[in-house]
């Protein structure tokens, strides 16, 4: 069944040599396509870099991984092959979010079959998970359990998800081993600590230092690796080699699985070998919407992303945003009100649709949007105070990448360990960082998670259940063909980041780099505040306050690495909200 079994050692060595050549080529950047840097001087905050190419494109948070994906495309692979190679490479080069020990979601447009599919490889709660798992003795939600202990670790889905994508939707030109080989070479040779790796390690020091097995990220004095250091991940190279040899079996059974279970249990979790053995990724029908003649294809539950992206777009379709003007206070006000209404529905209805009934069709219907739209007025609608609120946590500790190939296939992939480096715990001897994704459950109904998101019974913890996500990998089609591939990190701000990229492209007709770089804002119903990026002009903020909005100036959020299919070719936009992002094409 697994292509990996067909691959011999010779193949593998060829790939390793290829990767080393590739790294050398990268150093001199000789093959870089023409680039336009778009410094939006007016915004003063975010930049995106447009890269033009004719045949294939990868836009990702880290340059080497993006180049590896583009190389697979250039050698005849399809977008799925490239996405799988990038997914394994980012587990090495962007360990804060790229992962083997976490999970995520992939949305695919398959040109040959004229079909879109969604792969749910979200982490699952262990079978021993009870609804009160994150409560303390007094019955209160206990963030130490849901964020900082082994109880927070969901059964990882990434390896199974990527293997399934390759087996079902890959071109057949590359074995899984060939797609993993670049990641193995990077893990073994080591990578320089720079850009986002440097920035993320500086923040993660204390979380990593709590676990002796995570010392590869630290210097002898206990400080995180810094500029000039190299991150060498030999154990991770071994784990990747085992997966290259035997496919996902090597992760979900045998020595690696044993070590993951041991690590989780020693940190207080309840995961068993049976939980790993029985993990399966799920191929789902994507959520679909229609916005001004464009088809929106996005992620269904257990992510809330697609449902609420479509819901917000449906609400906004009834307003002349284009005429009001991009960035105008009137348009921003309507966007904020749409966000509030959608996030209120999120809190009430969303959860794992394999366990609870989620009214997806109703929430994404034009009639539901019309009813909500009728509630929007000139002034900010107050959110009823109904419990403890906490501000949304910022950060870009998830990662999204977009791929388009010359056959017309497209892949949007978002995956995550939840926090920066997840739980911070490396399963001893495996090099695999474990997630703390189960904090995305409602530890207790109405009590906010780390991103300030509230949810209720539909998202209560339960055995085998997948926690509600906001990840929103999205493909926009025009006349049945991809026009835009996008997605973002940012916790609760993922869905609103993607909304704004989509609106900037479809509604405001911005070129992709500008659409990605434009300053963003975010409201999530509770807490009742609008978080605005630094680039939003002061007079816009003032006009929103005059309409009754409470504004909080926040940091940049959501590196939305996107690709537009333009009449003249492909345009990749690496979102430089985090350092080191890159689009590579050929
Ligand atoms: O699945 C989710 O929605 C979150 N666990 C994603 C976390 C995230 O984006 C962290 N980065 N800021």
């Amino acid at each position: 069944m697994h292509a990996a079994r067909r691959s011999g050692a010779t193949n593998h060595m060829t790939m390793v040599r290829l990767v080393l050549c590739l790294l050398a080529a990268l150093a001199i950047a000789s093959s870089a396509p023409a680039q336009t840097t778009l410094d939006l001087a007016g915004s003063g905050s975010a930049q995106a870099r447009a890269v033009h190419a004719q045949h294939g494109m990868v836009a990702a948070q880290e340059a080497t991984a993006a180049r590896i994906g583009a190389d697979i495309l250039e050698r005849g692979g399809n977008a799925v092959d490239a996405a799988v190679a990038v997914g394994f490479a980012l587990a090495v080069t962007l360990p804060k979010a790229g992962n083997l020990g976490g999970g995520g979601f992939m949305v695919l447009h398959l040109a040959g079959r004229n079909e879109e599919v969604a792969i749910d490889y979200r982490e699952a709660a262990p079978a021993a998970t009870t609804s009160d798992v994150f409560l303390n003795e007094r019955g209160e939600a206990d963030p130490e359990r849901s964020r900082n202990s082994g109880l927070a670790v969901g059964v990882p889905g990434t390896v199974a998800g990527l293997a399934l994508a390759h087996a079902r939707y890959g071109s057949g030109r590359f074995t899984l081993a060939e797609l993993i080989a670049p990641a193995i070479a990077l893990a073994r040779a080591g990578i320089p600590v720079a850009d986002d790796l440097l920035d993320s390690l500086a923040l993660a020091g204390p979380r990593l230092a709590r676990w002796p097995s995570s010392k590869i990220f630290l210097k002898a004095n206990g400080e995180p690796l810094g500029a000039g250091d190299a991150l060498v991940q030999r154990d991770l190279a071994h784990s990747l080699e085992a997966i290259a040899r035997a496919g996902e079996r090597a992760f979900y059974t045998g020595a690696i699985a044993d070590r993951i279970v041991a690590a989780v249990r020693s940190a207080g979790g309840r995961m068993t070998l049976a939980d790993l053995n029985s993990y399966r990724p799920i191929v789902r029908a994507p959520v679909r919407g229609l916005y001004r003649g464009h088809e929106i294809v996005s992620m269904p539950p257990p992510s809330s992303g697609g449902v609420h992206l479509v819901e917000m777009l449906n609400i906004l379709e009834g307003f002349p945003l284009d005429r009001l003007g991009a960035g105008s206070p009137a348009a921003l006000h309507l966007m904020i009100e749409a966000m509030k209404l959608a996030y209120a529905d999120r809190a009430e209805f969303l959860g794992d649709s394999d366990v609870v009934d989620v009214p997806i069709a109703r929430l994404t219907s034009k009639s539901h949007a019309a009813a909500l739209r009728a509630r929007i007025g000139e002034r900010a609608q107050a959110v009823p105070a109904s419990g403890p609120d906490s501000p949304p946590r910022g950060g870009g500790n998830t990662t999204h990448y977009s791929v388009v190939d010359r056959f017309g296939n497209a892949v949007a992939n978002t995956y995550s360990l939840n926090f920066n480096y997840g739980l911070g715990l490396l399963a001893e001897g495996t090099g695999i960082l474990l997630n703390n994704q189960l904090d995305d459950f409602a530890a207790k109904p109405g009590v906010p998670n780390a991103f300030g998101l509230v949810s209720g019974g539909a998202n209560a913890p339960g055995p085998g259940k997948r926690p509600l996500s906001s990840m929103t990998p999205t493909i926009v089609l025009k006349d049945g063909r991809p026009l835009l591939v996008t997605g973002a990190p940012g916790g609760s701000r993922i869905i609103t980041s993607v909304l704004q990229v989509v609106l900037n492209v479809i509604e405001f007709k911005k070129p992709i780099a500008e659409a990605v770089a434009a300053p963003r804002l975010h409201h999530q119903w509770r807490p009742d505040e609008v978080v605005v990026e630094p680039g939003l002009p002061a007079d816009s903020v003032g006009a929103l306050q005059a309409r009754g909005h409470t504004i909080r100036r926040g940091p940049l959020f959501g590196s939305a690495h996107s690709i537009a299919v333009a009449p003249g070719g492909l345009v990749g936009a690496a979102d430089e909200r985090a350092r080191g992002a890159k689009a590579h094409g050929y």
Side-chain angles (χ1 to χ4, degrees), residues 157-168:
T158 296
V159 173
L162 295 179
L164 179 144
H166 168 257
R168 265 203 217 177

Side-chain angles (χ1 to χ4, degrees), residues 105 122-123 302-304 346 393-399 414-420 436-437 439-440 449 451 453 467-471 488-494 558:
F105 302 98
R122 179 73 158 168
E123 297 91 330
S303 183
S304 61
R346 185 191 191 279
R393 184 191 181 97
N397 306 324
T398 289
T399 195
T414 314
Y415 71 154
S416 178
L417 291 164
N418 196 28
F419 282 17
N420 193 23
N436 63 346
Q437 207 78 248
D439 184 63
D440 280 346
N449 75 357
F451 301 100
L453 286 166
L468 186 60
S469 174
S470 300
M471 288 186 247
S492 56
R493 303 173 204 186
I494 292 173

Side-chain angles (χ1 to χ4, degrees), residues 214-484:
S214 301
K215 58 181 178 297
I216 60 159
F217 296 109
L218 307 175
K219 300 190 235 210
N221 67 4
E223 294 290 314
L225 297 178
D229 292 327
L231 174 62
V232 180
Q233 300 175 84
R234 285 191 197 91
D235 288 343
L236 183 58
H238 283 134
S239 295
L240 286 163
E241 274 169 345
I243 297 164
R245 271 195 307 273
E248 83 253 32
R249 273 187 312 127
F251 184 92
Y252 293 94
T253 62
I256 296 178
D258 286 342
R259 287 180 155 152
I260 290 175
V261 168
V264 171
R265 296 187 80 91
S266 72
R270 300 174 188 168
M271 197 181 292
T272 65
L273 214 46
D275 290 319
L276 277 154
N277 295 170
S278 59
Y279 182 87
R280 298 286 178 275
I282 303 169
V283 176
R284 299 184 184 275
V287 163
R288 286 174 183 276
L290 200 62
Y291 184 79
R292 300 204 199 290
H294 296 76
E295 216 176 332
I296 312 296
V297 183
S298 191
M299 198 64 215
S303 183
S304 61
V307 168
H308 301 302
L309 173 65
V310 169
E311 185 178 6
M312 290 186 285
L313 287 169
N314 282 343
I315 296 170
L316 292 169
E317 198 179 35
F319 296 111
L321 291 188
D322 188 26
R323 196 148 45 75
L324 296 173
S328 67
L332 295 177
H333 165 73
L334 295 170
M335 286 158 57
I336 294 164
E337 294 302 291
M339 290 173 186
K340 277 185 204 170
L341 293 164
Y343 276 74
D345 277 348
R346 185 191 191 279
E348 188 169 350
F349 297 112
L350 265 283
D352 181 347
S353 55
D354 287 348
V355 180
V356 294
D357 278 336
V358 180
I360 299 175
R362 184 174 75 78
L363 295 175
T364 56
S365 68
K366 297 286 183 193
S367 56
H368 180 61
L372 294 179
R373 194 184 306 124
R375 288 164 45 186
I376 297 179
E378 289 295 309
R379 289 191 57 79
Q381 228 183 105
V383 172
S386 55
D389 278 335
S390 65
R393 184 191 181 97
N397 306 324
T398 289
T399 195
H400 173 83
Y401 54 92
S402 300
V403 187
V404 175
D405 67 23
R406 71 182 149 105
F407 313 108
N409 302 302
V411 175
N413 188 82
T414 314
Y415 71 154
S416 178
L417 291 164
N418 196 28
F419 282 17
N420 193 23
Y421 296 81
L423 184 58
L425 170 61
L426 266 185
E428 183 86 52
T430 67
I432 295 168
L433 275 164
L434 298 173
N435 68 83
N436 63 346
Q437 207 78 248
L438 300 191
D439 184 63
D440 280 346
F441 280 123
K444 184 174 182 175
V447 176
N449 75 357
F451 301 100
L453 286 166
V454 284
S455 54
N459 189 32
K465 206 172 166 188
R466 300 182 180 199
L468 186 60
S469 174
S470 300
M471 288 186 247
T472 315
T474 298
I475 298 175
V476 177
L477 304 171
K478 180 74 178 147
D479 303 324
R481 285 204 283 273
L483 174 80
L484 169 68

Side-chain angles (χ1 to χ4, degrees), residues 171-189:
S171 68
R173 287 193 182 88
F174 291 87
T175 62
L176 189 62
E178 287 170 324
L179 300 177
I180 298 175
I184 296 172
L186 289 165
R188 178 156 300 121

